[in-house]
Amino acid sequence: MRDLVLVVNAGSSSIKLALYRVERRGLSLEARGLAEGLGGKGQGRIRITDGHDATLLDEALPSAEHAPAMDRLLQWLDSQDDGSGLVAVGHRVVHGGPERREPVVLSPAVLNELALLEPLAPLHQMHNLAPPARLTEARPELLQIACFDTAFHRTQPAVAQQFALPRRYTSQGVLRYGFHGLSYQSIAAWLRRHRPDLHAGHVVVAHLGNGASLCGMRAGRSLATSMGFTALDGLPMGTRCGSLDPGVVLYLMDHEGMGPREIEDLLYRRSGLLGVSGISQDMRELLQSGEKPAAEAVELYCYRAAREIASVATGIGGLDAVVFTAGIGENAAAVREQICRHLAWLGVRLDRTANAENAQTVSSADSRVPVLVVATDEEAEIARQTLALA
Ligand code: ADP
């Protein structure tokens, strides 16, 4: 019986798999797979757990290459199921370009079209497309579907998507696309189910993970975001700079003699928390470090996030709730505390104890704006979208 949906989320250093069983009440998680430590010099590692987090497989990979890691994950999957039970495979694809508002069935032609968007998401796009390309060759009969991080933001008004450049660049597709859309859809679905009062209002969601961005939504629709043409804009991130005066890029070219690839490396891989602290890109490490540059990196991160939250709130015409999500948003109480301190003038107040415990509502009873912590589940969102299209 065909009742399984496989989700593949392949990034630069990891491949995540999630296997769901379609049940009458919805999707239930059967297994999760993670191949990590990829793309570097060392050895990758693969771990598979069941729906209750019990380990089913934990082994070192012979190398840090992506393709053998994906093969090993699929081999494990085959040992559980010969593939005949799969309804479809859903892939996370960061960039869908200006037109794609919905998931799409992956044919070789669509794969080629999406590969052309690589310059707009150099850290992600090719990694996202490698597993479906491999699967298309190995299992041409499988239904494969791409779910996009940009699609959710295509509901934004033109003014929110436009740069103040001559119009011809806008018509060429030089737009604010926005990213992390699958995460925001997952949060919107949560709000609709658990807090319909807030879902109907003006909500700013802060997705603070290795990548970080904000989305302003109203009635579950994206109206504004902090990320732009690429996933470099907006908030400072683990290794990305976030908003930067484009004059800095001109300065680096003219006065430091840097070329495009070198600047790309600087802005995508050597900036953000890592660049400012000189210690780590990992928020947990920075919060535990007693070093001054670590504290300064966290301070800048929180200051920028708060400024951008106010900007996005203006873009959506109000602020009825702030939702924190992803690794830092869900776990780093000190970061939420610093960001919300900057937002005190908007009437944002945290409850210290609730915040320290990562409770669902971390604002105090007298806060004008409720502040929530909600776990994002991009894989479940991909599974839901994949099943809907399949
Ligand atoms: P990705 O974007 O790769 O999915 P995550 O959403 O897992 O990333 O977020 C990774 C970030 O979350 C890292 O900076 C990590 O240090 C941070 N993080 C995870 N757990 C904690 C914690 N308990 N306290 C502070 N930061 C945390």
Side-chain angles (χ1 to χ4, degrees):
M1 187 178 145
R2 284 181 190 275
D3 62 356
L4 295 171
V5 175
L6 176 67
V7 171
V8 182
N9 180 353
S12 54
S13 65
S14 71
I15 301 174
K16 293 177 193 160
L17 288 196
L19 186 67
Y20 295 87
R21 191 171 296 283
V22 184
E23 290 180 342
R24 204 176 301 148
R25 288 177 299 122
L27 291 159
S28 82
L29 182 68
E30 286 279 303
R32 273 193 198 280
L34 172 69
E36 57 187 343
L38 307 180
K41 292 208 178 75
Q43 252 184 319
R45 189 156 196 97
I46 177 172
R47 184 159 181 254
I48 294 174
T49 51
D50 70 9
H52 306 285
D53 220 18
T55 302
L56 302 175
L57 181 81
D58 188 1
E59 67 181 35
L61 289 162
S63 74
E65 286 175 74
H66 284 73
M70 181 70 200
D71 289 347
R72 182 67 189 95
L73 287 166
L74 288 175
Q75 197 189 1
W76 179 84
L77 193 68
D78 278 345
S79 70
Q80 309 297 304
D81 177 273
D82 62 3
S84 60
L86 281 181
V87 180
V89 184
H91 297 273
R92 176 197 182 199
V93 178
V94 160
H95 219 301
E99 308 300 338
R100 301 219 173 268
R101 291 163 173 256
E102 304 285 343
V104 62
V105 173
L106 282 168
S107 63
V110 174
L111 274 170
N112 286 339
E113 177 209 311
L114 296 174
L116 296 177
L117 298 168
E118 200 227 332
L120 305 190
L123 278 194
H124 300 102
Q125 194 79 348
M126 294 321 276
H127 290 298
N128 298 161
L129 296 177
R134 208 170 171 84
L135 270 177
T136 302
E137 273 175 29
R139 320 251 178 101
E141 73 292 348
L142 261 186
L143 176 61
Q144 297 194 75
I145 289 170
C147 302
F148 302 104
D149 268 310
T150 50
F152 183 54
H153 302 297
R154 300 282 65 73
T155 53
Q156 290 180 8
V159 70
Q161 299 191 47
Q162 205 170 347
F163 290 114
L165 286 171
R167 308 187 77 94
R168 79 178 176 89
Y169 295 103
T170 312
S171 6
Q172 271 175 29
V174 182
L175 301 171
R176 250 178 200 292
Y177 288 100
F179 298 89
H180 290 136
L182 296 161
S183 171
Y184 295 127
Q185 282 176 296
S186 155
I187 300 297
W190 187 93
L191 287 169
R192 191 173 54 233
R193 195 162 339 123
H194 300 280
R195 292 296 303 265
D197 55 328
L198 300 181
H199 179 263
H202 308 81
V203 181
V204 175
V205 183
H207 175 109
L208 309 180
N210 276 317
S213 74
L214 304 173
C215 177
M217 42 197 185
R218 201 161 170 200
R221 272 161 60 104
S222 167
L223 294 183
T225 174
S226 63
M227 271 186 174
F229 179 59
T230 63
L232 202 50
D233 201 8
L235 311 185
M237 305 170 218
T239 61
R240 286 173 256 170
C241 59
S243 295
L244 184 77
D245 177 350
V248 173
V249 175
L250 299 176
Y251 171 86
L252 295 174
M253 291 163 73
D254 286 342
H255 296 279
E256 299 265 320
M258 289 172 79
R261 295 288 77 77
E262 254 180 300
I263 296 179
E264 178 182 279
D265 185 54
L266 173 73
L267 304 184
Y268 276 96
R269 298 182 187 88
R270 295 195 282 125
S271 297
L273 291 172
L274 175 65
V276 178
S277 68
I279 295 171
S280 171
Q281 66 180 73
D282 192 292
M283 182 58 88
R284 203 172 347 193
E285 261 181 60
L286 295 180
L287 291 171
Q288 282 162 4
S289 157
E291 303 285 325
K292 194 157 175 256
E296 284 170 356
V298 176
E299 186 186 351
L300 177 58
Y301 183 91
C302 297
Y303 167 83
R304 290 287 330 158
R307 273 187 62 167
E308 294 276 343
I309 288 173
S311 162
V312 168
T314 303
I316 60 174
L319 186 62
D320 299 317
V322 175
V323 177
F324 285 101
T325 192
I328 296 171
E330 291 167 31
N331 300 295
V335 170
R336 290 192 300 263
E337 215 252 330
Q338 273 201 48
I339 293 174
C340 289
R341 216 182 303 141
H342 289 293
L343 298 174
W345 67 279
L346 281 168
V348 174
R349 304 266 183 281
L350 286 192
D351 179 306
R352 274 180 159 262
T353 312
N355 189 47
E357 289 168 353
N358 299 323
Q360 192 175 91
T361 299
V362 293
S363 48
S364 62
D366 66 345
S367 184
R368 195 193 68 74
V369 180
V371 181
L372 275 69
V373 175
V374 179
T376 189
D377 194 342
E378 288 160 295
E379 279 80 32
E381 180 60 31
I382 295 167
R384 197 186 58 70
Q385 293 188 13
T386 298
L387 185 63
L389 181 58

